[in-house]
Structures are given as structure tokens and as C-alpha cells.
Amino acid sequence: MDGEKSTADIAAEYNISKTSVREWAKKYGEECQYKNTTSENTGINTAQEIRRLNQMLREKDKEIVFKKSSGILRKGNRLVVYRFIDDNKGYFGLRWLCRHFGISLNCYYNYLEGKKDEYHMQRDAIYERIKYIYYNNNRTVGHRAMRIFLSRYGIHLSKTTIHKYMNKNLNLTAVIMRKRPGYRTCKKHKIFNNLLNQNFSVKEKNKVWCTDFTYMCRHNGRTRYNCTIIDLYDRSVIASVNDEHINTELAIATLEEALNAEKNPKGLILHSDQGVQFASYDFVNFCRKHGITQSMSKAGCPYDNAPMERYYNTFKNCFYYRFTFENEELLDEMTKSYVNWYNYVRPHSYNKYSTPMEARFS
């Protein structure tokens, strides 16, 4: 370069490479181009170059300091960012900070005038309510169910807002359902016809019940079994019984408990899989004696009894996998408590997020 200072002089003065000086001069076009004209024009261009370089160095320093000090702020709430701007606007500049945080000047001035104080107080109260619901339901409530729980307290928010509050702001996540193992099909055979054909919508209560078994492996190496009956009308649990044996007696005991609870309804269809317990001589005779019509899924097709599969998925992930049971008596007692929570507290998507009992007696 021509003029009072050469490229080498400028590079040495500002402790930068000569390549950087040349690149900046080229990048900013005519302002950094020097022509061999009069000494007056050369002096003006040199001064412009120095001012431009000084500005770029200041911007570079800001970027370095900002990266070191603001990483945690991008994960925090807006109030923390506002306080950071208050403390550092003298060095960085107000507009520069707002631009890098993605905040409008109007929002910042509203903060200074206290216009958002009431909003922040209301949001903090919602945060506390969300945490109360989350931890009092064994951390099994996701953002969809949380919307229903909040509406019971008169708090009406969109799913998107609740999802942001829970996952981003409060770091609260619901139970992740475990993947089920694949089913191995076997030779197709029929005991009773499938009367449902995957039509699980029922208009009246106590017309179609579904039943199935599940196992619960214990820490002592033993296994306890559960048999449950649900009503397809509202997905409510009619009966749920635990036992150390998975046999016909357990299936009959569960069905008998359900019949007593609902006072022996007439014209009932009981749908199950083709398990030997449901196809046994004693169980078939018990159903005939009480005027119950049996229906069965195709062998190896869990979709034919999808509501029961879905119930046991919730049962395992929201209850059984979350606790350690010292003995069988405690497991049986807590199973009853879970069924009560499932029927009376947990919102169900099939009932448009009413609880099963709310749908049953509405």
C-alpha cells in the first residue's frame, strides 16, 4: 500500500497478520482501495482504512467476550438475559446485545418499565402448578395429559405452550414407553369367532368387555400375574386381580369380581385372546352359565385386542416399572391404588381426555 502507513506497519501496530489486512481492504471495496493519486487522497483513504480496521477489531473483541460470557444465557429465561443486558450494555452497546439475543428494543424497554411483571408472576405460578401435578402423578404426565390436568385448575393453555414450559423451561419429561418385543405367529386356529374385528367403539356400558393377562417379574426371581377386565365403552377397569399362578382360576376370579361389581349385566360379550385359560372347559362353562358370549382374537394378532395391550402398556410403564415392591401384599395393594388412579384421575384420550369414570357417569 501507498501512504503514510504500509500494510506491514498496520499489521504490526494492531498485532494482526498482513493477510488479514489485505483481505479486509479487499472486502470493503473502495473504502479500502488506494490509488496513486495525490497525497491528500492517499491520506484520507488511509484514515478511512484505520477507522474501519479499528471498528472491526472492536467487533471482534465483542464477539470473543460475548461467546465466553453468554453461552449459559441462551438456555436461561428472558429475565436473566435482560439483567445481562443491563450490566453489559455500556461495553457492548444496547442495540448490539439485543440483536445478538434476538430481542427487540421494545421488549427490553417494556422490561425496564415493569410492564411484564404480572405476566412473569402468572407464569411462575403455572410453573409451580405443573411441577406439583408432575411429581404428584409419579412423573408420568406428558404435555398432552398436563393440559387436561391444568384445565381442572382453570388454567387453559395450548399443547405447544405446555410442551415448551415442561420440556424446555422446566426440563420435565414424561415416562418413555418401553418397546414391546415382536410377536411370533403360530399355526392359525379358532376357538370362538372374533365378534369385534377390531371395532372397539361401543355405545353402551357393560356390553363389550376385554380381558387379558400380564406378568410381573419380581426381584426375588418369582413371577406374579395380573388379570384385568376393561369396559370398551369408556376404557374403565372393571376388575383387576393378582395371583402367583396364571391359570383358569385367576381368569374366573377376575370375571366373577367384575360381574359382582356390575351386578351381572345381560347380553355381555367378553373378548380375549386364545389363551388356554380362556379356552378351558371350566372358563367356557362359567361364561355360558352367566349368559356371556365369548369372542377371541386371531392367534398371534395383538391388534385384535389392542385396548388391553394399550392398558397393560400404561400399567407397566406408569406403575409397575416405577416402583420396587417389598412383598406380594404391597404389590397387590398398590395395584388396587393404581386402578383407582387410572379410573378416577388419569385423563384418557379415548374419552376426549375425561377420566373413565367421568365418561361412564356423564
Side-chain angles (χ1 to χ4, degrees):
M1 294 182 186
D2 297 328
E4 297 180 359
K5 290 188 178 182
S6 65
T7 301
D9 294 336
I10 295 173
E13 181 178 352
Y14 293 97
N15 193 26
I16 57 178
S17 67
K18 291 187 288 184
T19 302
S20 297
V21 176
R22 295 190 188 97
E23 289 179 353
W24 290 345
K26 182 178 180 180
K27 179 178 179 181
Y28 291 94
E30 294 180 357
E31 294 185 21
C32 297
Q33 299 298 322
Y34 295 90
K35 300 179 180 179
N36 295 322
T37 56
T38 63
S39 60
E40 180 179 357
N41 291 337
T42 301
I44 293 174
N45 289 338
T46 302
Q48 289 176 346
E49 179 192 18
I50 293 173
R51 285 195 299 270
R52 176 62 65 183
L53 292 174
N54 282 331
Q55 181 180 354
M56 293 184 66
L57 287 171
R58 286 194 297 269
E59 289 292 319
K60 191 74 173 178
D61 290 340
K62 287 182 182 180
E63 291 286 353
I64 294 172
V65 175
F66 185 75
K67 287 180 180 178
K68 291 181 178 179
S69 61
S70 67
I72 193 172
L73 298 177
R74 296 183 182 275
K75 300 179 182 179
N77 58 44
R78 187 63 65 88
L79 289 177
V80 176
V81 175
Y82 287 150
R83 295 187 184 111
F84 180 87
I85 293 175
D86 277 342
D87 296 337
N88 298 276
K89 62 185 178 183
Y91 176 78
F92 291 99
L94 176 59
R95 294 180 183 274
W96 191 93
L97 283 172
C98 288
R99 183 172 67 253
H100 280 71
F101 278 119
I103 297 173
S104 68
L105 288 172
N106 192 42
C107 290
Y108 174 73
Y109 290 133
N110 285 339
Y111 155 75
L112 291 181
E113 296 174 6
K115 291 183 178 180
K116 293 286 186 175
D117 289 349
E118 183 178 354
Y119 163 76
H120 290 300
M121 291 176 61
Q122 292 177 352
R123 191 183 62 180
D124 291 341
I126 293 174
Y127 284 171
E128 293 302 316
R129 180 61 63 183
I130 288 174
K131 289 189 286 187
Y132 172 81
I133 294 171
Y134 179 78
Y135 289 110
N136 277 274
N137 286 277
N138 300 321
R139 297 178 294 173
T140 61
V141 180
H143 70 277
R144 295 177 182 84
M146 183 62 71
R147 184 186 182 194
I148 308 304
F149 279 104
L150 288 175
S151 67
R152 297 174 182 175
Y153 292 95
I155 302 172
H156 302 283
L157 300 171
S158 68
K159 289 194 301 182
T160 304
T161 299
I162 296 174
H163 184 273
K164 182 183 74 172
Y165 285 174
M166 290 186 65
N167 294 66
K168 182 178 179 181
N169 298 357
L170 299 176
N171 196 28
L172 302 178
T173 55
V175 173
I176 303 300
M177 301 298 184
R178 297 189 184 185
K179 292 184 178 180
R180 295 181 61 87
Y183 285 87
R184 185 175 60 183
T185 59
C186 58
K187 182 180 178 180
K188 301 294 188 294
H189 64 279
K190 288 188 178 180
I191 304 300
F192 289 92
N193 291 330
N194 186 346
L195 303 179
L196 302 187
N197 293 316
Q198 299 186 17
N199 180 14
F200 304 120
S201 297
V202 180
K203 302 300 182 182
E204 298 180 49
K205 61 184 178 181
N206 294 329
K207 290 299 181 183
V208 182
W209 290 354
C210 286
T211 186
D212 202 355
F213 291 101
T214 195
Y215 60 88
M216 297 173 283
C217 297
R218 306 282 290 113
H219 63 278
N220 57 8
R222 302 178 64 180
T223 302
R224 198 151 180 83
Y225 301 93
N226 172 270
C227 183
T228 294
I229 295 175
I230 67 172
D231 190 341
L232 287 187
Y233 170 69
D234 48 29
R235 302 306 195 262
S236 60
V237 176
I238 306 301
S240 185
V241 180
N242 293 345
D243 196 83
E244 60 181 345
H245 300 293
I246 180 170
N247 52 24
T248 301
E249 285 73 19
L250 177 56
I252 292 176
T254 307
L255 180 55
E256 193 170 19
E257 180 179 304
L259 292 173
N260 291 335
E262 296 300 318
K263 300 179 181 179
N264 297 302
K266 304 299 181 182
L268 177 64
I269 295 176
L270 179 65
H271 185 80
S272 67
D273 59 20
Q274 295 186 18
V276 295
Q277 300 85 1
F278 304 120
S280 67
Y281 177 84
D282 291 339
F283 189 82
V284 171
N285 280 345
F286 184 86
C287 289
R288 287 174 179 171
K289 178 181 176 182
H290 290 82
I292 299 173
T293 303
Q294 284 187 259
S295 170
M296 287 188 173
S297 307
K298 292 185 295 184
C301 185
Y303 303 106
D304 285 349
N305 202 8
M308 279 307 308
E309 300 291 338
R310 183 64 181 88
Y311 168 77
Y312 274 134
N313 194 351
T314 304
F315 177 85
K316 291 287 187 70
N317 288 284
C318 292
F319 167 62
Y320 186 71
Y321 293 147
R322 302 195 59 77
F323 300 100
T324 300
F325 307 95
E326 297 179 358
N327 50 59
E328 281 72 15
E329 290 75 15
L330 179 61
L331 173 58
D332 294 347
E333 180 182 347
M334 292 188 67
T335 299
K336 296 295 183 184
S337 298
Y338 169 78
V339 168
N340 185 71
W341 175 82
Y342 180 89
N343 279 338
Y344 289 92
V345 178
R346 181 183 181 274
H348 202 297
S349 59
Y350 178 79
N351 301 320
K352 297 180 179 179
Y353 292 100
S354 296
T355 66
M357 287 302 158
E358 287 174 341
R360 194 171 188 81
F361 297 107
S362 62

